[in-house]
Amino acid sequence: MTQKFASACGIDFGTSNSTAGIVAASGAHLLALEEGKLTLPSAVFFNVEEDTMAFGRAALAEYLEGYEGRLMRSMKSLLGSSLMDAGTEIGGRHLSFKNLIGQLIGEVKRRAEQSASQQFDAVVLGRPVHFVDDDQAADDQAQATLEEIARGLGFKEVSFQFEPIAAAHDYEQRIEKEELVLIVDIGGGTSDFSLVRLSPERRGMADRSSDLLASGGVHIGGTDFDKRLSLSGVMPELGMGSLLSNNAEFPNSVFFQLATWHTINFAYTRKMWRTFQDISPEVVDKIRFERLLNVVRHQAGHHLAMRVEAAKIALSDQLMTELDLAEAEKGLVAQISRGTFENAIAQETRRVCNAALATLSQAGVAPEAVNTLFFTGGSSAVPALRHTLAAAFPSARTVEGDHFGSVGCGLAVVAQQRYG
């Protein structure tokens, strides 16, 4: 007998990974989006050789196999920014970032419908508390862009929920008594917080406005940690910080582009190559300059970025890891310590903790009053962040959510409440 699913779903379009969830008889759960896996990496690869487009793990695989083309990741970070209108050139064609985001979310919708064996005509989309810090007009534009994209994909009903509130709905499904909870959702692009009062008696109520005491956030996430680790541990090996023969510093723009997921492709432009040609006679450190040229020449920036991301993840469990820089120079390896990483992200760590404390200040609640810190989001495992937040909320116990699934399941719960 075929199981009947609701016509509404929740979609968590993430900076690094995306999910789709529904509520069935057994409760809220995620739908398989790629070869039985519940997450779809938010990646698109345009294979110029075969004139095809791949998504998720398949996109990353084609890129790593060496096909000529263009890999796009972390496109969510472009929402609300001036880069949304810029687009990119792929195989001689101009494609807008809005169109690219639409194709990725459309693929999530198509795969979710295939997994559920039915179409969805209503959706609750997750959104960070702030797409853009301190710019309400840009924030509103980011949400409006997402809504326009969703409606263009065939959703007749489109609404939004803050991602940490969605995670709160997921957590509430399994608590046994009332708790004052700070939801800590540290994803690929943002760190978001919601202070909520949860209880078994409240979980079925549609109007929970009185239980949401405050929400806050800051535009810092896992991709920012990747960037800082890359600038600290990798880019100096490619010449960042070196001097030219006239005592001027080597231009930094290319290093920041290569260290930032959604700008890596900007390092491959003709303009950048002209810059290299112009400064080549002035370069003193020829070895590191050649490493940089190798990375740009072979468009290997995403290879390095993936290795940096893997090193970041490894340093959650290890005190030291090796980072292979073969794309820059065969046999080159960087030794990266957890201390190096923590020093690199110290400023971001403080800003995230300050944003959490500011969320409580909105509600006039003391940190000691919080019963539970509920962690979700793929970047919430960074030890420095955990230690800093634990110290700021000394009375709170720590609860682990599904780092990649809590928001998607919570959005499914909200979708059922809103659309039935």
Side-chain angles (χ1 to χ4, degrees):
M1 180 176 178
T2 303
Q3 187 175 7
K4 175 67 174 176
F5 291 92
S7 61
C9 68
I11 290 180
D12 177 20
F13 167 52
T15 303
S16 300
N17 293 278
S18 296
T19 62
I22 59 168
V23 174
S26 58
H29 65 91
L30 299 181
L31 295 164
L33 297 180
E34 187 173 24
E35 297 178 351
K37 295 180 174 63
L38 303 178
T39 60
L40 182 74
S42 301
V44 182
F45 181 70
F46 295 86
N47 188 321
V48 174
E49 293 180 41
E50 300 182 0
D51 195 24
T52 57
M53 185 185 303
F55 300 88
R57 292 170 186 81
L60 299 175
E62 287 195 19
Y63 171 77
L64 293 173
E65 285 171 15
Y67 284 97
E68 182 184 349
R70 179 69 58 84
L71 179 69
M72 303 295 298
R73 284 195 74 181
S74 300
M75 288 184 289
K76 184 179 180 179
S77 298
L78 298 168
L79 288 166
S81 78
S82 59
L83 292 174
M84 275 298 293
D85 298 325
T88 187
E89 293 290 332
I90 300 172
R93 293 174 291 175
H94 178 81
L95 292 175
S96 71
F97 288 125
K98 180 179 174 181
N99 177 271
L100 296 176
I101 290 172
Q103 293 195 59
L104 180 56
I105 297 177
E107 189 67 14
V108 172
K109 179 177 186 287
R110 185 188 70 79
R111 295 184 185 203
E113 289 175 337
Q114 184 178 41
S115 185
S117 300
Q118 81 143 82
Q119 292 186 328
F120 297 115
D121 54 20
V123 66
V124 177
L125 286 165
R127 59 151 293 168
V129 176
H130 302 295
F131 280 106
V132 183
D133 291 341
D134 303 320
D135 189 337
Q136 190 58 50
D139 195 89
D140 292 343
Q141 182 57 51
Q143 179 169 307
T145 298
L146 264 187
E147 180 172 354
E148 183 182 345
I149 287 170
R151 292 191 183 280
L153 294 171
F155 287 114
K156 297 181 177 63
E157 298 287 342
V158 179
S159 61
F160 293 85
Q161 181 57 276
F162 290 145
E163 288 154 1
I165 297 176
H169 280 283
D170 178 53
Y171 175 53
E172 192 176 44
Q173 304 306 302
R174 52 187 182 274
I175 64 173
E176 298 179 354
K177 63 179 182 179
E178 182 175 301
E179 298 178 22
L180 182 60
V181 183
L182 181 67
I183 305 295
V184 181
D185 179 12
I186 304 177
T190 60
S191 294
D192 295 296
F193 309 94
S194 286
L195 183 66
V196 290
R197 198 173 301 282
L198 303 178
S199 73
E201 296 76 24
R202 289 175 168 87
R203 67 170 65 120
M205 297 169 56
D207 182 6
R208 300 297 300 277
S209 55
S210 63
D211 295 325
L212 173 61
L213 305 186
S215 285
V218 63
H219 205 269
I220 295 172
T223 56
D224 298 287
F225 303 149
D226 295 344
K227 175 180 178 179
R228 292 301 167 193
L229 181 57
S230 182
L231 290 173
S232 174
V234 174
M235 294 305 148
E237 298 294 338
L238 307 186
M240 183 177 177
S242 62
L243 296 178
L244 302 177
S245 60
N246 59 6
N247 284 326
E249 190 169 292
F250 195 102
N252 275 337
S253 61
V254 65
F255 302 113
F256 278 84
Q257 287 169 351
L258 288 171
T260 307
W261 274 106
H262 59 274
T263 63
I264 289 173
N265 292 311
F266 296 168
Y268 306 147
T269 61
R270 293 187 182 90
K271 180 180 178 181
M272 186 58 69
W273 271 111
R274 285 196 296 271
T275 298
F276 294 154
Q277 291 170 350
D278 291 342
I279 67 173
S280 179
E282 305 293 332
V283 171
V284 176
D285 193 334
K286 300 294 186 183
I287 293 176
R288 285 181 169 80
F289 184 52
E290 185 59 30
R291 291 171 181 171
L292 173 63
L293 293 181
N294 284 337
V295 171
V296 175
R297 184 182 295 121
H298 299 294
Q299 298 192 5
H302 284 93
H303 283 268
L304 291 185
M306 288 179 203
R307 297 228 176 89
V308 170
E309 182 181 31
K312 174 193 69 177
I313 293 169
L315 290 171
S316 291
D317 300 314
Q318 304 165 200
L319 295 178
M320 181 74 69
T321 191
E322 291 187 344
L323 206 160
D324 185 356
L325 300 177
E327 282 77 22
E329 180 184 314
K330 187 176 180 180
L332 182 63
V333 174
Q335 300 289 334
I336 308 290
S337 71
R338 183 184 290 181
T340 297
F341 176 47
E342 292 183 348
N343 288 336
I345 66 168
Q347 182 178 351
E348 284 74 15
T349 299
R350 286 193 296 271
R351 288 182 61 195
V352 169
C353 188
N354 289 340
L357 292 169
T359 302
L360 265 68
S361 295
Q362 290 180 36
V365 172
E368 292 77 15
V370 175
N371 303 125
T372 305
L373 291 178
F374 179 82
F375 285 97
T376 186
S379 298
S380 66
V382 173
L385 273 177
R386 302 296 288 264
H387 296 155
T388 302
L389 288 167
F393 299 91
S395 303
R397 70 188 183 107
T398 296
V399 174
E400 296 292 336
D402 181 336
H403 287 175
F404 298 104
S406 291
V407 172
C409 285
L411 292 171
V413 172
V414 177
Q416 184 194 47
Q417 292 174 346
R418 292 180 181 175
Y419 304 119

